[in-house]
Amino acid sequence: SYTVLKGPPVRFRLEGDHVRDLWRFWRIIIPSSIITLVLTQTNTVIMARFFPMDELGKFSIATTLSAAVMGVSTEYVMRVFFPRFAEANRSSTEQAKEIYYSCRRMVMLFFAFGIGGLIGGGELLIRILYNEEYLGTGIYLSLLCLTPLARLISLPAEQAIITRGFIRVALNANVLRLGWIAVAGPIAYIGIGPLALIAVFCLAETAALPYFLWHLKRYDLLDLREESYLIGAMLVGAAIGYVCYMASEALIASGALPNF
C-alpha cells in the first residue's frame, strides 16, 4: 500500500523511547502468554495420551461448552467492567473501590449461580443436548467449569491490579498456576490417575486466587463479604443442578420419564 499511495517515501525506523516502552511491556506479556498457552493446551495433550478416543471426544464436547461459559464472562469483564473501573480509577481511588464491586455484583452472581448449576448438573445438560451415547461427558464439564468459576474472581482482580499500575501481576499469577500443576500434577497422577491430573489443571486458577486477593487488599479493594456472595451463589446453583440431575435419573430409572 505504501508503494501505491503517492506521497513522501516511507522508511522503516526504530524510535528509541517507543522501543524501550514496548520492550518493558513485551518482557512481561510474552512469557505470560507462553505459560497461558501451555496451561490451556496441556490437558488436551494428556487426554490424547492417556484416554481412549471416545473419551477424548467427550472431553472435546465438554471443552467447547465450558469455553462458551468462559467466553461470556470474560467478555463482560473486559468490555463492561474494565472500562468502567479504569475510568473510575482515573477519577478517584474511592470511586474505583465502589465501582469494583457494584459494577460486577449482580452479573457475577448470575454467572456464579449458572456455573454452579453446570458443576452440579453437568450430566443433565449433556442428556438434554446430546443422546445417551455421550453420557459421561458431564464429569468433564463439571471439572472444566471450575476454571471459569474461579475466573469470576481472578479476572476482575487482575484487570483492576493492572489498572493500578502493577502489570507484572499476570505473569506472576501464571507462574503460580504452573507451579501448582508441577507440584500437584505428578502427585495426583501417581496417586489417583489421569482424571485426577485433569482436575489439577482445572484447579490451577483456584491456586492463584490467594495471590489476587492479597493484591486486592494491598490496593484497598478487597471486600471478603462480596467475594463470599459468589461462593454462596455457586453452592446454591450446584445444589439445584445436582438435585435436578438426580431427580431426572430417578425418574428415568423408574420409567416415569423416558430415557433421553
Side-chain angles (χ1 to χ4, degrees):
S1 63
Y2 286 128
T3 60
V4 173
L5 297 175
K6 295 180 180 181
V10 178
R11 296 183 178 88
F12 180 76
R13 185 173 70 89
L14 295 177
E15 203 285 319
D17 291 339
H18 290 170
V19 170
R20 283 188 290 271
D21 285 342
L22 286 173
W23 168 247
R24 283 191 289 268
F25 181 74
W26 288 342
R27 68 181 181 180
I28 296 174
I29 298 303
I30 290 178
S32 179
S33 299
I34 292 173
I35 296 175
T36 298
L37 183 64
V38 172
L39 293 174
T40 55
Q41 298 302 317
T42 304
N43 56 359
T44 303
V45 174
I46 292 171
M47 288 293 299
R49 173 66 178 83
F50 294 107
F51 288 80
M53 188 60 67
D54 58 340
E55 290 300 310
L56 182 60
K58 294 176 181 178
F59 183 78
S60 298
I61 292 173
T63 300
T64 302
L65 294 173
S66 65
V69 175
M70 178 85 81
V72 172
S73 58
T74 299
E75 285 295 304
Y76 177 80
V77 172
M78 300 306 296
R79 294 180 181 272
V80 179
F81 166 80
F82 176 60
R84 289 189 61 185
F85 179 83
E87 182 181 6
N89 187 67
R90 286 191 294 268
S91 302
S92 70
T93 55
E94 287 300 319
Q95 184 181 1
K97 183 177 181 179
E98 179 182 351
I99 287 292
Y100 182 77
Y101 285 108
S102 64
C103 181
R104 45 169 272 199
R105 184 179 296 120
M106 296 307 299
V107 174
M108 290 302 183
L109 285 174
F110 174 77
F111 286 153
F113 177 81
I115 294 173
L118 290 177
I119 293 174
E123 193 77 330
L124 178 58
L125 179 65
I126 300 302
R127 273 193 176 275
I128 294 171
L129 296 179
Y130 303 93
N131 59 46
E132 58 182 334
E133 293 180 359
Y134 294 94
L135 293 180
T137 305
I139 181 63
Y140 300 126
L141 179 59
S142 296
L143 288 174
L144 289 169
C145 280
L146 294 174
T147 299
L149 177 66
R151 291 285 284 176
L152 295 181
I153 298 175
S154 66
L155 185 58
E158 180 181 301
Q159 297 308 308
I161 295 165
I162 290 174
T163 302
R164 287 293 175 91
F166 187 50
I167 301 176
R168 196 179 180 85
V169 66
L171 176 59
N172 292 348
N174 269 346
V175 171
L176 287 174
R177 296 178 184 113
L178 192 61
W180 157 260
I181 293 172
V183 174
I187 297 173
Y189 176 73
I190 294 172
I192 302 176
L195 186 61
L197 183 56
I198 298 296
V200 167
F201 274 92
C202 296
L203 288 169
E205 191 66 35
T206 305
L209 284 182
Y211 177 72
F212 286 114
L213 295 177
W214 178 76
H215 272 292
L216 286 180
K217 181 175 177 58
R218 174 188 172 196
Y219 288 108
D220 194 29
L221 292 171
L222 180 63
D223 188 335
L224 288 176
R225 183 180 61 180
E226 290 278 355
E227 303 294 351
S228 67
Y229 292 158
L230 291 178
I231 305 301
M234 182 276 295
L235 292 174
V236 172
I240 293 175
Y242 182 74
V243 168
C244 291
Y245 164 65
M246 293 302 295
S248 66
E249 292 294 311
L251 290 173
I252 291 172
S254 66
L257 189 68
N259 195 8
F260 63 95

